[in-house]
Amino acid sequence: MIQPWWPLAGLAVIQFGDAAMCLKPVGFIRACLQDVGFPRRYWRLLPVLKTAAAAGLVVGIWAPPLAVLTTAALVVYFLIAITMHIRARDFGRNLFLNATGMLILCAAALIFTLDRG
């Protein structure tokens, strides 16, 4: 078991909340997806991916290899998100606060997990 467990649990709560907001994308998420040109036909996959990430983080508390895999996947996800923002020339809040902030949190969780796992 990874100790302390709360960093992974906290990131799981964030991912689950994000998944819930993506079910029927709230305004700022809808605008973000449109701004970066993310195809609407894939929007319905986001809640599934984010719920799976939340579950992987929770289970990863007791299965460190899963925690490493999940946090690494989240780092890749947010690197792709940042790339999409840059490519779309979306240099506002969505890039600097949301995507970059989440990348930093996920990278910290990955480093924490590698150290504790």
Side-chain angles (χ1 to χ4, degrees):
M1 182 172 176
I2 294 179
Q3 288 293 340
W5 54 267
W6 62 265
L8 291 177
L11 186 55
V13 168
I14 292 168
Q15 286 301 304
F16 187 71
D18 196 12
M21 289 188 293
C22 286
L23 282 171
K24 183 176 186 231
V26 296
F28 76 94
I29 291 175
R30 185 174 44 256
C32 178
L33 295 172
Q34 291 169 337
D35 290 347
V36 299
F38 191 71
R40 191 173 185 91
R41 68 183 174 272
Y42 298 124
W43 288 14
R44 67 178 176 254
L45 296 176
L46 293 175
V48 175
L49 292 172
K50 293 175 183 204
T51 300
L57 290 165
V58 171
V59 175
I61 292 169
W62 293 275
L66 182 58
V68 171
L69 177 65
T70 305
T71 54
L74 285 167
V75 166
V76 170
Y77 175 90
F78 285 105
L79 285 171
I80 292 168
I82 288 169
T83 301
M84 291 178 74
H85 283 284
I86 292 170
R87 196 166 164 224
R89 301 200 184 290
D90 180 20
F91 299 117
R93 175 180 185 248
N94 289 327
L95 169 63
F96 291 108
L97 182 61
N98 298 347
T100 304
M102 284 304 299
L103 174 63
I104 291 167
L105 280 176
C106 294
L110 175 59
I111 292 166
F112 168 81
T113 302
L114 288 170
D115 184 53
R116 303 293 176 150

